[in-house]
Amino acid sequence: MTHYKLIYFDARGFGEPARQLFHLAGVPFEDVRISFEELMPGKQSAYWLEMKEKTPFGRLPVLSMDGFELAQSAAISRYLAKKFGYSGKTPEEEVWADAIVDQFKDYMESFRLFIYAQREGKSAEEVKTIHDKKYVPAKNQFLEVIDRILKTNKTGYIVGNGLTWADLVVADHIFTLQNIKKLDDGIHQNLKKYQESIYSLPELKEHIEKRPKSEM
Amino acid sequence: MTHYKLIYFDARGFGEPARQLFHLAGVPFEDVRISFEELMPGKQSAYWLEMKEKTPFGRLPVLSMDGFELAQSAAISRYLAKKFGYSGKTPEEEVWADAIVDQFKDYMESFRLFIYAQREGKSAEEVKTIHDKKYVPAKNQFLEVIDRILKTNKTGYIVGNGLTWADLVVADHIFTLQNIKKLDDGIHQNLKKYQESIYSLPELKEHIEKRPKSEM
């Protein structure tokens, strides 16, 4: 049996959909988490420094399968989704799942701008400008697209009538938005319900309850 | 026969790999190009305004196939690549092509930062900071990854021993870097040769000679 090892930071972020795919498929995997302490300058662990050198692109997540190493979160999740039956039922469903994840990644560009602006210690005014002019419009545009697709689709899933990895990516981010108080209880009620229904899938429930808590 | 219509701006950018896939496969398609003049505030054409409303995500490229509409450049190119036999020969080759395109898209984040900084009329000093601190390190990291992969792979292609859509994405951007004088004749000699070999493929040559000229 293939030994799967998923290496990512100790957060949900871009690693969590792959973890959830393993749980959905009931396939065991090694869930390696690099703590943020290990990344701090001066405190970097030997494991992380060696790892960083060896990863295909110097970044995480990495999925290692008996020595064959894969990089890039969407590529990893798409690969696992396909292997485990969560990539869509037809080429047309597959490409729609891909398109939604790409749309998500485009939106994450402004999410990162906003998060990094805070972390890099930009002035309150600069952070507010980035938040109001870049982040919020991009978030609203993304959530409107998702909301419209869910309302048109009427299946409770974002593509076709079954779960795909696009649901995992989107639902997990909606959870993040709740954590950081960026989801509006009124306008985004439908999206909250959708996230809860994905999180309640029997194969995911236990994992979600037991996983290490992280804001994002 | 499916009527393919690819709608994009009058540039190479994120639309060109899809166009090249049609030429590689010898499949006819309607190459709809929205001119930049049509996009200017006040001068927007009725066609573009209607189009913008109707696209799945309000963005281009869009691939329309007898009414079925697809968005997002990577999703579109991956779909066509798969249909036409340029997505990789095994699931492992496919995921590597995906990962390289995702890595490219990550790098494009800083490319866009730099290009927009110029277009938005930021001060010369701000543009220089973005160029030196964000764009150049990201570009060097990306080109080093590609160079290393090509040297390890030794087939003249970026994945396995045959052409994939990842080659089209990367080679076209290397061409852009030459146009905007961001490719170093010395260090990047190998990448220039690679780009020229992809551009010389018999199925692409005529298209590349005849296509509308654009810097990017």
Side-chain angles (χ1 to χ4, degrees):
Chain A
M1 220 171 91
T2 312
H3 179 79
Y4 292 100
K5 182 155 84 170
L6 183 75
I7 305 143
Y8 190 57
F9 305 111
D10 189 15
R12 290 180 295 108
F14 285 108
E16 181 65 14
R19 292 184 191 122
Q20 293 186 6
L21 284 162
F22 283 114
H23 287 283
L24 280 162
V27 170
F29 74 108
E30 199 183 331
D31 187 12
V32 179
R33 289 166 179 257
I34 312 282
S35 75
F36 287 99
E37 235 174 37
E38 282 182 82
L39 306 173
M40 300 284 277
K43 282 186 177 182
Q44 298 177 309
S45 70
Y47 180 79
W48 166 242
L49 288 173
E50 198 194 329
M51 170 63 57
K52 200 168 147 60
E53 274 306 302
K54 275 171 39 190
T55 59
F57 302 141
R59 294 186 196 181
L60 298 183
V62 163
L63 176 65
S64 166
M65 296 175 289
D66 296 333
F68 179 70
E69 296 215 321
L70 278 185
Q72 279 287 351
S73 60
I76 290 171
S77 294
R78 182 184 302 106
Y79 175 81
L80 294 174
K82 191 154 248 174
K83 225 179 177 92
F84 300 154
Y86 297 99
S87 64
K89 294 181 187 110
T90 62
E92 287 66 36
E93 286 193 11
E94 284 187 350
V95 67
W96 260 104
D98 286 351
I100 286 158
V101 173
D102 277 341
Q103 191 68 12
F104 169 73
K105 289 185 68 175
D106 283 355
Y107 146 63
M108 286 305 279
E109 202 169 315
S110 60
F111 182 77
R112 265 196 298 277
L113 264 184
F114 167 53
I115 299 294
Y116 290 167
Q118 296 173 300
R119 289 193 188 155
E120 287 169 359
K122 286 198 196 284
S123 73
E125 198 189 332
E126 280 174 294
V127 171
K128 191 176 160 15
T129 304
I130 290 173
H131 177 269
D132 295 355
K133 305 269 173 191
K134 305 230 166 175
Y135 174 60
V136 172
K139 182 194 73 174
N140 289 343
Q141 201 262 352
F142 177 71
L143 294 181
E144 271 166 31
V145 163
I146 299 299
D147 197 41
R148 193 184 66 221
I149 292 174
L150 286 169
K151 280 174 180 153
T152 312
N153 211 21
K154 289 192 187 91
T155 60
Y157 301 105
I158 212 161
V159 178
N161 61 4
L163 184 74
T164 62
W165 66 295
D167 290 304
L168 306 181
V169 169
V170 173
D172 208 67
H173 186 69
I174 294 175
F175 184 67
T176 292
L177 291 179
Q178 290 170 69
N179 290 342
I180 62 168
K181 315 256 180 294
K182 295 290 171 204
L183 202 74
D184 186 291
D185 280 347
I187 317 165
H188 301 134
Q189 207 180 2
N190 194 37
L191 294 173
K192 192 164 179 277
K193 271 190 204 155
Y194 160 70
Q195 175 265 315
E196 286 165 356
S197 82
I198 302 295
Y199 265 40
S200 312
L201 293 166
E203 301 87 348
L204 289 184
K205 251 188 137 207
E206 194 189 331
H207 161 66
I208 286 170
E209 276 162 25
K210 290 192 180 165
R211 70 184 177 186
K213 302 262 172 287
S214 72
E215 191 180 41
M216 336 196 148
Chain B
M1 220 173 91
T2 312
H3 178 80
Y4 292 100
K5 183 155 84 170
L6 183 75
I7 306 143
Y8 190 58
F9 307 110
D10 189 15
R12 289 180 293 110
F14 285 108
E16 181 64 14
R19 293 185 191 123
Q20 293 186 6
L21 283 162
F22 283 114
H23 287 284
L24 279 162
V27 171
F29 73 109
E30 201 183 330
D31 186 12
V32 180
R33 291 166 179 256
I34 313 281
S35 75
F36 288 98
E37 235 173 39
E38 282 182 83
L39 307 172
M40 301 286 277
K43 284 187 175 179
Q44 297 177 310
S45 70
Y47 180 79
W48 166 241
L49 288 173
E50 199 195 328
M51 169 63 55
K52 201 169 146 59
E53 273 309 300
K54 276 172 37 190
T55 59
F57 302 141
R59 293 186 196 182
L60 299 182
V62 164
L63 176 65
S64 167
M65 295 175 291
D66 295 334
F68 178 71
E69 295 216 323
L70 279 184
Q72 279 288 352
S73 61
I76 290 171
S77 295
R78 183 184 300 104
Y79 176 82
L80 293 175
K82 191 158 249 170
K83 228 181 176 88
F84 300 154
Y86 297 99
S87 64
K89 294 183 187 108
T90 62
E92 287 65 35
E93 286 194 8
E94 284 185 350
V95 67
W96 259 104
D98 286 351
I100 286 159
V101 173
D102 278 341
Q103 190 69 12
F104 168 74
K105 288 184 70 176
D106 283 356
Y107 145 63
M108 286 306 278
E109 203 168 314
S110 61
F111 182 77
R112 266 195 298 276
L113 265 184
F114 167 53
I115 299 294
Y116 289 167
Q118 296 174 300
R119 288 191 189 157
E120 287 169 0
K122 285 199 196 285
S123 72
E125 198 189 332
E126 280 175 292
V127 172
K128 190 177 161 15
T129 304
I130 290 173
H131 177 270
D132 295 354
K133 307 269 174 193
K134 305 230 167 174
Y135 174 59
V136 171
K139 182 194 71 175
N140 289 343
Q141 202 261 349
F142 176 71
L143 293 182
E144 271 166 32
V145 164
I146 298 300
D147 197 41
R148 194 184 65 222
I149 292 173
L150 286 170
K151 280 176 180 151
T152 312
N153 211 21
K154 290 193 187 94
T155 60
Y157 301 105
I158 212 161
V159 178
N161 62 5
L163 184 74
T164 62
W165 66 296
D167 289 306
L168 306 180
V169 169
V170 173
D172 209 65
H173 185 68
I174 295 176
F175 184 66
T176 293
L177 291 179
Q178 290 170 69
N179 290 341
I180 62 169
K181 315 258 181 293
K182 295 290 171 204
L183 202 74
D184 186 293
D185 281 346
I187 317 165
H188 301 132
Q189 207 180 1
N190 195 36
L191 295 173
K192 193 165 180 276
K193 271 189 204 158
Y194 159 71
Q195 174 265 317
E196 286 165 354
S197 82
I198 302 297
Y199 266 38
S200 311
L201 292 167
E203 301 87 349
L204 289 184
K205 249 188 139 206
E206 196 189 331
H207 162 65
I208 287 171
E209 277 163 23
K210 288 191 180 164
R211 70 184 177 186
K213 301 265 171 290
S214 73
E215 191 179 40
M216 329 193 150

